[in-house]
Amino acid sequence: MSIIKRCKKLFLSDAMAWLAAIAVGSMIFITNSMLNMDVAPTLLYITLVFMSANIFSIPVFLTVAISCIGFLTVSFIVEEGYRDQKLIAGFVRCLIALTTITLLALRSKRASDSLRRKEAFFLGAQKLSHTGSIGLIIDTHTVSWSEESARIFEYPLDVTPTLALIRARTHPDDLHIVERVFEKAALRESLIEVEHRLLMPDGRIKFVQMSANPLFNPHGRIEYVGALMDVTASRQSEEALFHSQAKLAHVTRVTSMGELAASIAHEINQPLAAVITSGESCKRWINREEPNLEEARRSLDRIIQNSCRASEVIACIRALSRQSDVQRKTEVFDDIVSDSLTLMQHDTSNHQVRPHLQLGAPEALVKGDRVQLQQVIINLIINACQAMANVHDRPRTLRIHTSVQDDEAVLEVADSGTGISEDILASLFDPFFTTKQNGLGMGLSICRSIIEFHGGRIWVSSTVGVGTQFFFAIPLTALRHDE
């Protein structure tokens, strides 16, 4: 194999091209010296011009072409061909033919060089952007790809691409995606777009995106031509960003725990006080001359109920404070909202805020991380309470309303505060933007990141002097049988 490559390299080298040009030039000299023919030298000159056009650069080619015309003219003058009218006519024909061929070859040479330059730019752009091209003829299952596609699949450049090679590099869990691509191609769909993973021999995983369109060739066959992009670096960056946001969200939750300390203490003390009261009542019912076991049993049930309530509050607080991986589960949207408000009851009471909860989505199920969604809701409630701190001429009303709109679970948190001016609204969700004197400016930014991670959206509307309404919407999900 190496001998064949060396021979190929030798035949395509500049030295061999110069030897071929010298050989043709020698043939021109011999033919012109020994044969009494006018056409033969011209044909050899034309051959030399074509060879130069395919081998040399444009300056060298023009030098060769002008030299051929010069040699032809000098030969005509030296041999005194101008004395014979027929020889003059033949010389003119040969000169016109050689000049015409030179101009056509120059035009072809420029077009060829331009094409090579564009091809070099194209290949360079593919390599820099990690984007290769790939082709598939459906009828014959013939596959073709560019050098960059071969690099993405990590195959040698001289390997002939096949469907089997593509399947061999596809991650086993994503094989159905690739098979679906072939099915769509067989159905002649106008646009195919997929993203899947590749599994390399050393265990590395790559993420690739492919989009393809069909082209009809002259033989009536359909060939799909597409772009294959290696997006592994982008996915790794997104994953790193997600982990950074998760850590930042955890820090924010821990910071919020300090602000909620009074509410937390109240939510724990309330069921504990009920446990003590019920325990004392149970003791009294038992110590009577005739113990009332039924009332004692009811007191014990209340003790168990309030103990469970205290345990639930502690579990919720621990979940908010711990740093763990995101756990997306199917949850009842209204339960998340009501539990979040329960944690904030003491805080709203301290701010003299009257909450009005209207749960209008009792059957709405969402798939998400309960702790993160509670973090968003608690943050919105804290902001609403703080926004009404300077309101003294009207009731401080907090309206929390859930609903289902267009296959989305929607939450509205509205306050009756002083409102937000129009020029500030556009910057509310920007990182480090805050209207509070001691604020970090990360609360609403993290809220937006969490909602967008859940495939939703968050927005705000406000009227100065009336109040502000925050909304967020996340997609509904269906309850699976195993859940």
Side-chain angles (χ1 to χ4, degrees):
M1 186 69 181
S2 60
I3 297 177
I4 297 176
K5 288 184 177 179
R6 289 178 182 177
C7 293
K8 183 178 180 181
K9 185 176 180 181
L10 177 62
F11 280 113
L12 295 177
S13 63
D14 292 339
M16 186 60 66
W18 279 105
L19 287 175
I22 293 172
V24 173
S26 301
M27 290 178 62
I28 293 173
F29 176 78
I30 294 171
T31 303
N32 195 32
S33 302
M34 297 183 178
L35 299 177
N36 188 18
M37 297 177 63
D38 293 330
V39 178
T42 306
L43 293 177
L44 293 175
Y45 281 134
I46 291 173
T47 302
L48 183 59
V49 168
F50 274 126
M51 287 181 58
S52 302
N54 290 323
I55 297 173
F56 304 123
S57 61
I58 289 180
V60 177
F61 161 71
L62 289 176
T63 301
V64 172
I66 293 172
S67 299
C68 289
I69 294 174
F71 287 144
L72 183 64
T73 304
V74 171
S75 176
F76 174 75
I77 295 173
V78 170
E79 294 178 1
E80 297 181 353
Y82 53 83
R83 297 182 182 276
D84 189 340
Q85 190 172 3
K86 291 183 179 181
L87 293 178
I88 293 175
F91 167 73
V92 172
R93 286 195 301 271
C94 292
L95 190 62
I96 292 174
L98 185 57
T99 304
T100 303
I101 292 299
T102 299
L103 294 175
L104 292 176
L106 178 61
R107 181 180 179 184
S108 176
K109 175 68 175 174
R110 285 177 173 169
S112 177
D113 287 353
S114 176
L115 184 61
R116 288 195 188 96
R117 184 180 179 85
K118 291 178 180 178
E119 183 182 8
F121 285 155
F122 178 71
L123 294 177
Q126 282 196 346
K127 192 171 183 179
L128 289 173
S129 63
H130 302 289
T131 304
S133 54
I134 189 168
L136 171 64
I137 299 178
I138 302 302
D139 299 336
T140 60
H141 295 91
T142 303
V143 180
S144 59
W145 60 35
S146 65
E147 293 182 358
E148 186 59 27
S149 292
R151 293 189 188 96
I152 292 174
F153 284 107
E154 295 189 8
Y155 284 120
L157 299 182
D158 55 354
V159 169
T160 302
T162 62
L163 294 180
L165 292 179
I166 295 177
R167 290 189 178 100
R169 283 289 191 263
T170 303
H171 195 285
D173 295 340
D174 291 351
L175 273 173
H176 67 282
I177 299 177
V178 175
E179 296 297 338
R180 181 58 182 160
V181 170
F182 298 149
E183 293 175 5
K184 289 182 178 180
L187 295 174
R188 301 185 176 184
E189 292 195 10
S190 59
L191 177 63
I192 300 177
E193 292 182 330
V194 294
E195 180 174 337
H196 63 94
R197 293 169 294 172
L198 303 180
L199 182 61
M200 297 298 108
D202 58 359
R204 289 178 297 109
I205 293 178
K206 287 185 175 183
F207 293 85
V208 294
Q209 288 180 344
M210 191 199 73
S211 59
N213 286 315
L215 298 177
F216 295 89
N217 60 30
H219 303 289
R221 293 176 177 175
I222 295 180
E223 179 177 6
Y224 275 84
V225 178
L228 183 73
M229 179 180 292
D230 184 355
V231 295
T232 304
S234 175
R235 291 293 172 268
Q236 291 174 345
S237 299
E238 289 177 1
E239 185 176 355
L241 177 61
F242 169 73
H243 286 303
S244 299
Q245 289 177 339
K247 291 180 179 178
L248 183 59
H250 171 251
V251 172
T252 306
R253 285 200 302 272
V254 173
T255 303
S256 299
M257 298 298 291
E259 300 180 13
L260 296 176
S263 294
I264 293 171
H266 175 76
E267 290 302 319
I268 295 177
N269 285 332
Q270 198 172 35
L272 290 180
V275 167
I276 294 173
T277 302
S278 298
E280 292 175 348
S281 297
C282 179
K283 187 177 179 180
R284 286 196 300 270
W285 290 117
I286 293 176
N287 289 334
R288 295 181 66 174
E289 294 181 0
E290 295 183 5
N292 191 331
L293 298 181
E294 182 63 28
E295 290 295 336
R297 188 179 295 108
R298 291 177 182 174
S299 297
L300 290 174
D301 289 339
R302 287 194 295 270
I303 290 174
I304 295 173
Q305 182 181 1
N306 284 284
S307 298
C308 291
R309 175 58 191 156
S311 177
E312 290 174 358
V313 171
I314 293 172
C316 183
I317 293 168
R318 289 183 63 190
L320 285 171
S321 61
R322 75 172 182 263
Q323 181 175 354
S324 60
D325 294 333
V326 176
Q327 298 178 356
R328 302 187 69 172
K329 297 180 181 179
T330 301
E331 303 278 358
V332 179
F333 187 64
D334 279 358
D335 289 351
I336 299 176
V337 176
S338 59
D339 288 350
S340 302
L341 182 60
T342 299
L343 280 176
M344 294 297 299
Q345 279 184 351
H346 187 71
D347 199 65
T348 55
S349 177
N350 282 345
H351 282 85
Q352 299 178 358
V353 171
R354 291 186 297 181
H356 292 279
L357 178 62
Q358 183 179 356
L359 300 177
E363 298 180 357
L365 299 177
V366 296
K367 189 173 184 180
D369 186 282
R370 186 184 187 93
V371 172
Q372 286 196 343
L373 292 177
Q374 282 186 328
Q375 179 181 355
V376 173
I377 298 169
I378 290 173
N379 189 279
L380 295 180
I381 294 175
I382 290 175
N383 288 347
C385 292
Q386 292 176 351
M388 292 184 285
N390 295 324
V391 174
H392 305 288
D393 58 343
R394 60 183 181 276
R396 300 176 182 178
T397 304
L398 173 65
R399 188 176 73 256
I400 301 174
H401 176 228
T402 63
S403 61
V404 175
Q405 302 176 16
D406 298 329
D407 294 328
E408 290 181 320
V410 181
L411 172 69
E412 177 189 1
V413 178
D415 62 63
S416 58
T418 56
I420 303 172
S421 61
E422 190 71 26
D423 57 331
I424 295 179
L425 280 179
S427 305
L428 276 183
F429 297 100
D430 293 344
F432 305 110
F433 179 85
T434 180
T435 58
K436 304 173 186 177
Q437 185 176 359
N438 298 319
L440 294 176
M442 292 303 299
L444 289 177
S445 176
I446 293 173
C447 289
R448 181 178 65 177
S449 298
I450 292 174
I451 296 302
E452 289 179 351
F453 169 74
H454 286 78
R457 52 201 172 88
I458 185 170
W459 67 99
V460 60
S461 64
S462 182
T463 304
V464 176
V466 177
T468 303
Q469 301 85 39
F470 279 90
F471 303 85
F472 75 75
I474 54 178
L476 296 176
T477 186
L479 183 64
R480 299 196 305 269
H481 293 292
D482 59 347
E483 294 177 324

